[in-house]
Amino acid sequence: MSRPSSSSPAPSTAGRAGAAPPGRGIPAAWPALLAGPLSFGIAGPSLILPDAARDLGLALGAVTWIVTAFGWAVAIGTPLTAGLQNHQGARRALSACAALVALGAVLVAAVPSLPVLVLGSAAQGLGTAGFTTIAMSLARSARSLGLVTSSLATVGACAPLVADLVAEALSWRVALALPALSLLAVPAVLRHRPAEPAPAASFDSRGAVLLTALVTALVFVPHSWPVAGACVLAACGLLGLHVRARPDGFVPASVVRAPVFLLMSGLAFLLAAVNFGMIYLLPALLAGRAGWSGGAVGAAMLWPLLFGGLASYGVVAATAKAPVQAVAVLFPAVAAAGVALAAAGVPPVVLLAAQALTSLAAASGQGAFAARAAAAVPGGARATAMGQFNLCYLLGAAFGPAIAAALTV
């Protein structure tokens, strides 16, 4: 097993005109802490939404808008904050994201009203999406990038149980504010990151609006595909025309025309869809085939998810020098093996092994594919490219549960 060197491909904003080089010597733990708490917003509410519905006097379906708002905000916030970073520099983007996370945490923790909770959750989603993109762009090696993606997966594995414990000890509203733990990393990252002057080019507001429209339509495809699908086609056409007219705009032509970047982003989408679909499907399989209770299922699923998150750090580092073709085959094959086990396995241990494989494939693939996607685009477009890469992964996280739900009908 070869040890990756510090020159391994990793996302960077170096090369952008007028920008200072990325901060050197920042400990890898700080970008990981900056990114990891995003997963509290995705997975944390799963066990506490019934408490929220009871206290608010609403149906469970109504309070799920809290999670929907976070997911939508993360999806649109990822490319938007990447564009802000590329235009204004990491320091200003980091400060703006910190303000959003702090505001959102105050709203969800202090105001027991569904509209305010939805607004606060969306603000946290926007801010933590930016934190994650910035953290990945600060990674100086495949090993540090693997630590960032491993933190996302590990926090996601622990998030339901941690949020439930916080809700019992304090309140479910405080549990909804757990993404704010990412603020602990902001002072250290600001210390290590030099100020960057903004480039002279104007901000491509039309490109930002078109990409936001496309992402919003994509998020709704699993829920209302005829209308959303038509909107996706229209938004794709308009965005394509805009990219041709302004190739250096919010969606750089150098990114969408890079075959390796498109391949890595597409595979990241597929791995996320499989993994999050399995997370949704496995409780029903364990309950139906083994007769386990909900609490037993939650405790059992913690271990395969933790395995995937923790092991991914070493896997990303071990495959740092592998060619693109190798990682493009390896991680989808691991995910396919997990799906095959889930389809064929009845004993709970087999189903949990299937979850471990899909979790490992998604967490490792996110880190390995991100490094190669970043290396496939010019340096000046890498911050934007990381935002769009993460967007593809997060869209997979939205599609997976919807596909799994259709399979269980």
Side-chain angles (χ1 to χ4, degrees):
M1 180 183 299
S2 62
R3 182 182 179 90
S5 68
S6 59
S7 61
S8 300
S12 171
T13 56
R16 178 165 54 82
R24 301 185 182 186
I26 180 172
W30 290 119
L33 177 58
L34 190 69
L38 176 145
S39 294
F40 278 121
I42 296 176
S46 59
L47 298 180
I48 61 176
L49 285 182
D51 295 335
R54 184 186 64 249
D55 290 352
L56 295 172
L58 298 171
L60 183 60
V63 298
T64 56
W65 277 105
I66 297 171
V67 182
T68 301
F70 189 92
W72 172 81
V74 167
I76 68 165
T78 297
L80 288 177
T81 52
L84 176 64
Q85 179 186 358
N86 202 43
H87 182 70
Q88 295 291 332
R91 191 177 187 88
R92 292 181 182 178
L94 191 69
S95 299
C97 293
L100 284 169
V101 173
L103 173 63
V106 170
L107 291 177
V108 299
V111 184
S113 166
L114 183 60
V116 177
L117 291 168
V118 170
L119 179 62
S121 184
Q124 288 191 108
L126 286 169
T128 53
F131 280 167
T132 300
T133 299
I134 292 169
M136 295 183 77
S137 72
L138 290 176
R140 302 292 295 174
S141 67
R143 187 175 294 277
S144 59
L145 182 59
L147 185 60
V148 171
T149 57
S150 176
S151 72
L152 287 163
T154 303
V155 172
C158 302
L161 289 180
V162 172
D164 190 49
L165 292 172
V166 171
E168 290 182 3
L170 300 172
S171 75
W172 57 265
R173 295 197 305 277
V174 175
L176 290 176
L178 284 173
L181 290 174
S182 56
L183 293 172
L184 295 174
V186 171
V189 175
L190 285 174
R191 252 193 334 267
H192 287 87
R193 183 73 180 185
E196 296 171 317
S202 60
F203 183 72
D204 180 15
S205 57
R206 182 177 298 179
V209 169
L210 288 174
L211 184 60
T212 300
L214 174 59
V215 171
T216 302
L218 285 169
V219 168
F220 281 95
V221 163
H223 305 283
S224 180
W225 68 265
V227 175
C231 292
V232 167
L233 293 176
C236 276
L238 292 173
L239 185 59
L241 292 174
H242 180 73
V243 170
R244 292 184 65 182
R246 186 167 177 179
D248 59 345
F250 189 80
V251 181
S254 60
V255 172
V256 297
R257 293 174 184 170
V260 172
F261 174 85
L262 296 177
L263 174 63
M264 296 294 96
S265 299
L267 290 177
F269 169 86
L270 291 175
L271 292 183
V274 170
N275 181 48
F276 285 92
M278 187 71 73
I279 290 173
Y280 183 88
L281 189 61
L282 194 61
L285 292 177
L286 288 171
R289 297 181 183 180
W292 287 11
S293 66
V297 170
M301 286 182 62
L302 171 66
W303 302 110
L305 292 174
L306 271 178
F307 165 78
L310 294 174
S312 67
Y313 173 63
V315 173
V316 171
T319 58
K321 295 183 179 179
V324 169
Q325 296 87 339
V327 296
V329 172
L330 173 62
F331 297 119
V334 173
V339 172
L341 278 180
V346 175
V349 65
V350 176
L351 295 176
L352 294 173
Q355 178 69 80
L357 289 176
T358 58
S359 175
L360 177 64
S364 301
Q366 185 186 15
F369 294 162
R372 288 155 180 83
V377 301
R382 287 185 182 179
T384 301
M386 281 297 91
Q388 292 169 12
F389 173 86
N390 287 331
L391 165 63
C392 291
Y393 185 85
L394 293 166
L395 283 175
F399 271 68
I403 295 172
L407 293 175
T408 57
V409 172

